[in-house]
Each structure stands twice: as C-alpha cells, then as structure tokens.
Amino acid sequence: MSTGNMNLTLKVWRQKNNNAKGALVDYKLADISPDMSFLEMFDVLNEQLINKGDEPVVFDHDCREGICGMCSMFINGRPHGPKDLVTTCQLHMRSFKDGDTIVVEPWRAAAFPVVKDLTVDRSAFDRVIAAGGFISVNTGNAQDANNLPIPKMQADAAFEAAACIGCGACVATCKNASAMLFVSAKISQLALLPQGQPERYRRVQSMVAQMDAEGFGNCTNTGACEAECPKGISLENIARMNRDFASAKFISEETV
Amino acid sequence: MSGFGNAFSSSIGKKFIMGITGLFLILFLIVHCGINALIFISDGGLTFNVGAHFMATNWIIRAGEIVLFIGLLAHIFQALRLTLQNQKARPVKYAVNDGKANSKWYSRSMGLLGTLLLIFLVVHLKDFWVVSRFTGIPTVDANGHEDLYAVMKEKFQDPVRVVVYVLAMFSLCYHLLHGFASAFQTLGWNHSKYNGIIKGAGVWYSVIISILFAAMPIAVYFGLIQ
C-alpha cells in the first residue's frame, strides 16, 4: 500500500477492432495519487495520450459506483484486480505499490468478442436473459404484496442471486470461459420466488440452451467465479440450476 | 425429438455424465481397494486369493466389469469433448492469469491428472488384469486358488514399477480431492446441511484410498507382508 504519489508502468492491451491483431503496449505514468480509482488512473493516461495526439485507450465504464457492471478490466491476471468483492471502479491505486508494473487485458472469451482495446461485446448475456430470464405479469393493478407470503430465507437467497450485475467477471476468470455463475444467478433469482414458478422449468431449459449456443465453456467447479465475483454470487446457484435442469429434462412433461 | 430433448448434449447434461460416471468409479475404487487390502492380513496371500477368485468367477462381478469399462470410457470421452469445447471458448489466452488467487491447482488440472491416471491404467491393466483374464496366472496357492498374490509379489520386486505406482496414487489423490465434491455439486446436491459432510468425506476418501493403494507396492517391495 502506497501513501505518496506513485510511478507506474502499465502494459495495456491495444486492439483496433475485432478483426485486428492486438498487442500489449507499455505506458509510463508518473505522480499517480494512491486515492485515485483505477479508472481515474486510466483517465489520466488517456488525457496524456490525447494531449500527445495519440488514440486514447477505449474501456467500458458507466456508474463508477460499483453497481452497473460495465468496467471490465482483467488486471494482473484477475478480473477487477487484486481486491475481492469490488469492481474496477471501486479499486483504488493504494492497492498497488509505487514502481509496480500492471498488466491490463480485456475479458477473454469467444462469446465476448473484443470491440476495441479493453472493451468487449457482452450482448451474449442479453440474449441469454431474453431467452427466459423474465416472468409473465398480468396487466392491471399490482396486487397487494402480502398476498404472496415468501419466507425470509427464500427472499434473502433470491435477493443475493439478484445482486448479479452481469459484469462477466465469472466468464473472464473461469479457465473454461463458462457463464454458469451468471446464468444460474439469473435463473435462481426467479426460481426462488413464487412469481417465477410458472415458467421455472421452461426458463432453465431455454436459458441453458442459449448459453450453450453463445459458445461459453463448461463448468468444472473450480470455484474461481465465486471467488472473483464482485457481488459474491454463490456456487449454490449453479447447483440449483443443475437441479432445476435435471427436473426439467427428466421429470417435467413440458418440452422446450 | 424425444421427450428428453437435449438432456445429455447440453453443457449441463455432459457434466451430469461426468459426475455420474465419476461417482460410479469412486464406488468401484472402494471395492477394488477393499479386496486388495486383504494382502495386509499377511497370510501368504491366501485370503487375498479367495477374494481375487470370487472377483474373477462371480457372474455379477463379471457383468459389473463390463459396466465399469463402459463407465470409464464414457468418463474419458466426455472429458475429452468438454476439454476441446472449453479450449474453443477462449481462443485468445491471457498474457497474465493468476489462477492460484481464486482456485486450487488440482481443480484446474483435472485433465492433466486424469491423463496421468490413464497412462498408469494402461500399465496397471497390463500388469494384472491381462494376466488374470487372458495370459493366465501361472501358479496356485495352498487352497488351490490361482495365486494372484504371487504375481503381485513378483511384479513389485521392480523398484521402477513401485515408484510409478506410488506417483500415480498422488495423481489419484488430487484427482479425487476435486472430483468427489465436484460430482455432488454438478448433480445439484448442494445443501447447507450436507456440504460440510460431502467436503469432509471427499478429503478422507481421497487420502485413505490413495494411501492404502500406495502402501501395497511399498509393503510388498520391502517385504513388510508375508
């Protein structure tokens, strides 16, 4: 942990577009405040690049308060860098030491093609959601919330699954680029609640089929996804999805 | 399309096959280890040969052997398919990937450990299975049973073979350390009341089975059992 201003060497993945060949490019940065966030450090780098007339580094970011899931940097071999339970925007330069070399790469997965530099296209996740990650609700007045009693434990588990921000760190860190943690969280948040029951077994089949069609890898239960998830989504969700999948395929009479 | 749809061709279905065959092989190892451990009785292999004779002649065991080979081949072929798919899922590798920060090395090396076990298995089957099923066990013991114990004693006079067998049991131990609990997770048997039991049983199982198996060639080589 550093207190004074820091000098850093960055090795950043630069790639013009999806078809171009990319490479790691070295940048020297001086006088970086340890209180800056990782993204603010990139803002400094980009200002310097723009002043020099170079192309700034393209990277995804939006809310910068850890809830949108846009910032997607693979920092020194870990998604969102060395800290647990944070996104890149909530990672501060005090987590590094003066003189450090930091390697920054985009998420790497066939299902997440690089758009430019550190930005990848995560619309594969959107298509998985569109395949079944919703519930049917009748139009008209919303009914009284107390009409549907939900046990506290159940509500908490659903809420914890719903904390997934769809950042893709699970895919990025998985040795197989598997999306099981994301998909299982999106299935669980609905499967745990009464509102999710009508489509429960149709949903798990459709979403898993879409996940496979997008070209994500297969789960080998290394647990890396759970360890790197900025929202602490549990592997329990994957087991629940597998259970639901088995029920849907071998017990339910509804075919998708 | 049948009512089962793509139950076994989907990513989760393929993993079900890995998990089910894995648990089946785990059960097989208990039987295999249990019968072999009869050599520790130190009665010149008489009891062990009774066990070996039963395994070689009982028709349920003979039928089970066919199922065992089918299960083993399914485990291997499914693993190959999954590994090839997984490699395609990340065509460009990371320049820096800090795997040890978030997972155990053996959970990321199941393919390597499994390949080492497969190579060992070829050697092992040639040493004992081919002899007892095809080329024939040369001698009989005092009870008139085929003396498989004598074959074992002769094979484990070779120190290279003993080292190969012991090293293979390290592979087996780490393969099981991940595989045991992993099979339960894949099949969806994850429950806060049982997770601790499954994890603990997995560790105990892996260590005990591997140590018992490794102790056999060592004990025979050093003449610790008669």
Side-chain angles (χ1 to χ4, degrees), chain A residues 69-82:
Chain A
M70 281 305 281
C71 46
S72 54
M73 293 181 182
F74 205 78
I75 302 160
N76 283 346
R78 297 182 68 184
H80 303 303

Side-chain angles (χ1 to χ4, degrees), chain B residues 24 26 47 66 88 90 102 117 137 156 192 200:
Chain B
F24 172 61
I26 280 171
T47 316
I66 297 168
K88 268 206 304 204
R90 176 164 295 137
N102 51 41
L117 284 174
I137 295 165
F156 289 144
S192 59

Side-chain angles (χ1 to χ4, degrees), chain A:
Chain A
M1 184 170 151
S2 288
T3 45
N5 283 358
M6 310 159 72
N7 297 315
L8 299 165
T9 306
L10 289 181
K11 287 176 179 291
V12 182
W13 186 261
R14 302 301 308 261
Q15 184 173 345
K16 262 198 156 43
N17 56 54
N18 188 30
N19 300 318
K21 219 173 112 64
L24 287 171
V25 178
D26 289 17
Y27 297 102
K28 296 264 180 213
L29 273 182
D31 286 332
I32 293 296
S33 159
D35 298 326
M36 276 182 189
S37 78
F38 203 82
L39 296 186
E40 284 165 342
M41 183 269 292
F42 259 83
D43 293 337
V44 172
L45 170 68
N46 275 348
E47 272 180 32
Q48 292 179 5
L49 289 175
I50 291 164
N51 288 340
K52 275 199 293 182
D54 287 345
E55 280 254 327
V57 179
V58 175
F59 62 92
D60 263 332
H61 63 106
D62 190 17
C63 73
R64 296 208 178 196
E65 53 187 15
I67 54 170
C68 77
M70 281 305 281
C71 46
S72 54
M73 293 181 182
F74 205 78
I75 302 160
N76 283 346
R78 297 182 68 184
H80 303 303
K83 291 265 172 187
D84 289 340
L85 297 170
V86 293
T87 52
T88 308
C89 61
Q90 298 298 299
L91 175 70
H92 292 86
M93 296 317 293
R94 53 180 171 268
S95 301
F96 298 87
K97 288 197 295 288
D98 185 30
D100 271 1
T101 299
I102 307 171
V103 181
V104 187
E105 297 173 80
W107 286 174
R108 298 228 184 263
F112 288 165
V114 171
V115 177
K116 188 171 184 174
D117 295 339
L118 300 173
T119 300
V120 297
D121 179 358
R122 281 170 283 188
S123 48
F125 272 8
D126 299 341
R127 290 187 291 272
V128 171
I129 296 285
F134 50 80
I135 57 164
S136 300
V137 178
N138 291 332
T139 53
N141 287 343
Q143 62 172 328
D144 187 87
N146 293 325
N147 281 354
L148 285 173
I150 301 165
K152 171 87 168 108
M153 261 191 73
Q154 201 87 351
D156 285 350
F159 192 83
E160 276 162 27
C164 169
I165 52 177
C167 64
C170 45
V171 175
T173 197
C174 174
K175 74 183 263 284
N176 312 316
S178 167
M180 294 275 278
L181 194 68
F182 165 79
V183 178
S184 69
K186 296 301 177 190
I187 286 173
S188 286
Q189 65 182 3
L190 303 174
L192 285 161
L193 296 177
Q195 291 90 337
Q197 298 313 307
E199 291 117 339
R200 181 171 183 177
Y201 297 106
R202 170 176 290 273
R203 177 184 305 116
V204 65
Q205 296 183 71
S206 309
M207 288 177 74
V208 168
Q210 188 62 37
M211 169 180 84
D212 291 349
E214 296 292 346
F216 291 108
N218 306 286
C219 176
T220 50
N221 301 322
T222 67
C225 52
E226 183 186 52
E228 296 293 3
C229 175
K231 298 296 160 188
I233 304 293
S234 161
L235 286 181
E236 201 187 329
N237 293 302
I238 296 183
R240 183 180 296 108
M241 169 172 71
N242 291 2
R243 270 201 305 276
D244 278 9
F245 185 82
S247 301
K249 290 294 183 190
F250 302 116
I251 298 165
S252 157
E253 290 188 10
E254 183 180 21
T255 51
V256 176

Side-chain angles (χ1 to χ4, degrees), chain B residues 68-100:
Chain B
L68 174 65
F69 273 103
I70 293 171
L72 181 68
L73 289 175
H75 196 73
I76 294 166
F77 280 117
Q78 201 68 283
L80 275 174
R81 259 177 89 186
L82 287 163
T83 305
L84 290 175
Q85 270 188 356
N86 292 344
Q87 281 171 352
K88 268 206 304 204
R90 176 164 295 137
V92 184
K93 308 283 174 231
Y94 288 107
V96 180
N97 196 349
D98 190 3
K100 66 180 186 312

